[in-house]
Amino acid sequence: MRALVKSSKAPGFVLRDVPVPTIRDDEVLIRVKAAGVCGTDVHIHEWDAWAQGRCQPPFTVGHEFAGVVEQVGSLVSDVKVGARVTAEGHIVCGHCHLCRTGNAHVCPNTRIIGVDRDGAFADYIAMPASNVWPLDDDIPFAIGGIHDPMGNAFHTALHGTDLPGATVLVTGCGPIGIFAVGIAKAAGASHIVASDVNPRRLELARRMGAHAAVHPSDAEAAVRAATHGLGVDVVLEMSGVPAAIHQAFALVRVGGRVQMLGIPAKPMDVDFATEVIFKGITVYGVVGRRMYDTWIQMTQFLRSKQFDPTPVITHRFPLEQHAEAIAAIKSGEAGKVVFEIG
Ligand code: NAD
Ligand code: ZN
């Protein structure tokens, strides 16, 4: 089968012919139909400091995908051959303190497909049956293939927030920020301001329902105008850029909530006294998707058609055009980039 492989401790990927994976008794074999490409794949491609510290080549990359179950292990009873599925790409231990208290998304024993074991940019992938998530018949594989980042956005937007009627600022309109705009809209936010430095991404944010989509230098004015000077109830921080993080703390109202998904590239200074404590705000760090509350919410928003992520997918490539796919993400102009595989 074809597989896009991180073959050595150096920049680049290689499209190779490799054996179809064998499955354990508790796993299923999935024929991959579509797979999302993400910033993490770019880090692995570029072989940056994070990738060097984390990854052990050779392995198949890719962690966002959907496909059809081709074979099931002898212990698998709840996943059937022929089922249309996507999957949670974080494989957790199931028996640590966090897993046993409903917090498997922060399991310290997490192994990620396409990072710590073979991933989804291939004709087939082996997955533990417990990670498999069913896909409704009317959800296209391309949408199934982006459930992972869309789930990041659902987690950020919905966990612990009270969105009906809320005013919301989304800082950063990369693919996950754009999803978050649409989710906040679908969940009943009364006013959504989205910020980014990139006009094309601001246009996508408008399409997904932002009431105002502005350059960061205009975000304060947009927020003050929309909230009678108070500041927003909720900030969804989706950039990881220090300037945006400071702006999140500045523009959330006193007593509000900042949901932090974006990952700063290096340590940064925060004036906790004025930015966090005296504002009485709540800060929530987002990791992946809650298992499986986030997946249930995502399925229900898609099933009801309350939320349609289709406009976020801006590029589709065959696996052979992996260089073009990576370049599209590096350009900073793309929404979601998807491989059409099977
Ligand atoms: P992305 O890099 O495509 O999006 C970030 C956006 O922020 C870009 O469009 C950029 O133009 C914009 N930006 C830059 N400066 C800004 C500013 N001052 N104000 C507002 N926006 C600004 O990334 P993505 O794939 O959408 O992911 C978003 C973030 O989430 C990244 O930091 C990524 O590493 C992180 N992430 C976190 C998790 C998690 O589990 N916590 C999972 C996936 C991704
Ligand atoms: Zn665990």
Side-chain angles (χ1 to χ4, degrees), residues 37-40 43 63-64 90 148-149 152 155-156 170-179 194-198 201-202 214-217 219 237-245 247 260-265 285-289 329 332-336:
V37 191
C38 134
T40 302
H43 290 296
H63 56 275
E64 313 171 355
H90 288 196
D148 168 305
N152 293 144
H155 181 180
T156 311
V170 179
T171 51
C173 297
I176 307 181
I178 307 167
F179 287 134
S195 70
D196 203 295
V197 293
N198 182 325
R201 290 187 152 181
L202 290 175
V214 297
H215 189 275
S217 58
E237 205 306 294
M238 313 302 252
S239 76
V241 174
I245 293 171
Q247 199 163 46
M260 302 193 68
L261 173 100
I263 304 169
V286 180
V287 179
R289 300 142 299 278
I329 296 184
E333 301 283 335
K336 209 51 219 175

Side-chain angles (χ1 to χ4, degrees), residues 289-326:
R289 300 142 299 278
R290 297 190 71 94
M291 296 170 211
Y292 276 80
D293 329 31
T294 302
W295 291 84
I296 293 168
Q297 289 172 320
M298 182 154 49
T299 296
Q300 291 175 343
F301 271 78
L302 291 173
R303 190 173 283 163
S304 65
K305 317 281 184 232
Q306 266 167 288
F307 168 70
D308 178 11
T310 310
V312 183
I313 301 178
T314 56
H315 294 69
R316 297 169 192 247
F317 295 103
L319 211 42
E320 285 69 20
Q321 289 183 22
H322 54 92
E324 286 85 345
I326 295 293

Side-chain angles (χ1 to χ4, degrees), residues 6-311:
K6 183 72 188 172
S7 59
S8 65
K9 297 182 173 184
F13 291 148
V14 187
L15 188 61
R16 273 196 184 155
D17 196 37
V18 304
V20 173
T22 51
I23 55 168
R24 299 188 331 190
D25 292 343
D26 61 348
E27 290 185 337
V28 306
L29 184 69
I30 299 167
R31 185 157 49 89
V32 179
K33 304 288 282 184
V37 191
C38 134
T40 302
D41 303 315
V42 176
H43 290 296
I44 297 171
H45 182 271
E46 306 295 288
W47 199 238
D48 67 7
W50 170 82
Q52 290 177 32
R54 173 78 183 243
C55 303
Q56 293 296 330
F59 62 95
T60 300
V61 284
H63 56 275
E64 313 171 355
F65 76 97
V68 177
V69 176
E70 180 99 353
Q71 188 190 337
V72 303
S74 62
L75 296 176
V76 177
S77 57
D78 55 339
V79 181
K80 304 293 180 208
V81 170
R84 305 170 82 254
V85 298
T86 177
E88 168 57 63
H90 288 196
I91 298 169
V92 299
C93 76
H95 49 73
C96 71
H97 179 104
L98 283 312
C99 283
R100 289 188 158 184
T101 54
N103 295 292
H105 64 294
V106 282
C107 168
N109 307 313
T110 300
R111 299 188 74 231
I112 304 179
I113 61 169
V115 175
D116 304 312
R117 61 181 257 166
D118 284 333
F121 295 161
D123 287 312
Y124 293 93
I125 182 172
M127 282 303 290
S130 56
N131 280 60
V132 169
W133 191 258
L135 205 56
D136 286 356
D137 285 344
D138 63 344
I139 304 291
F141 285 115
I143 303 293
I146 58 171
H147 269 42
D148 168 305
M150 203 158 68
N152 293 144
F154 270 98
H155 181 180
T156 311
L158 299 185
H159 185 74
T161 59
D162 190 9
L163 287 189
T167 52
V168 177
L169 169 64
V170 179
T171 51
C173 297
I176 307 181
I178 307 167
F179 287 134
V181 168
I183 295 160
K185 179 87 168 189
S190 63
H191 195 94
I192 303 163
V193 176
S195 70
D196 203 295
V197 293
N198 182 325
R200 210 170 285 189
R201 290 187 152 181
L202 290 175
E203 189 46 48
L204 280 172
R206 274 181 213 110
R207 265 189 85 182
M208 293 303 285
H211 300 84
V214 297
H215 189 275
S217 58
D218 297 324
E220 175 163 7
V223 164
R224 300 283 174 223
T227 62
H228 299 276
L230 184 67
V232 290
D233 299 311
V234 177
V235 181
L236 309 177
E237 205 306 294
M238 313 302 252
S239 76
V241 174
I245 293 171
H246 290 302
Q247 199 163 46
F249 293 141
L251 298 183
V252 71
R253 68 164 165 78
V254 170
R257 192 166 169 109
V258 178
Q259 307 278 94
M260 302 193 68
L261 173 100
I263 304 169
K266 54 183 186 357
M268 59 175 279
D269 286 328
V270 176
D271 179 352
F272 274 98
T274 56
E275 297 189 78
V276 177
I277 299 165
F278 293 130
K279 285 197 76 166
I281 63 172
T282 302
V283 177
Y284 176 67
V286 180
V287 179
R289 300 142 299 278
R290 297 190 71 94
M291 296 170 211
Y292 276 80
D293 329 31
T294 302
W295 291 84
I296 293 168
Q297 289 172 320
M298 182 154 49
T299 296
Q300 291 175 343
F301 271 78
L302 291 173
R303 190 173 283 163
S304 65
K305 317 281 184 232
Q306 266 167 288
F307 168 70
D308 178 11
T310 310

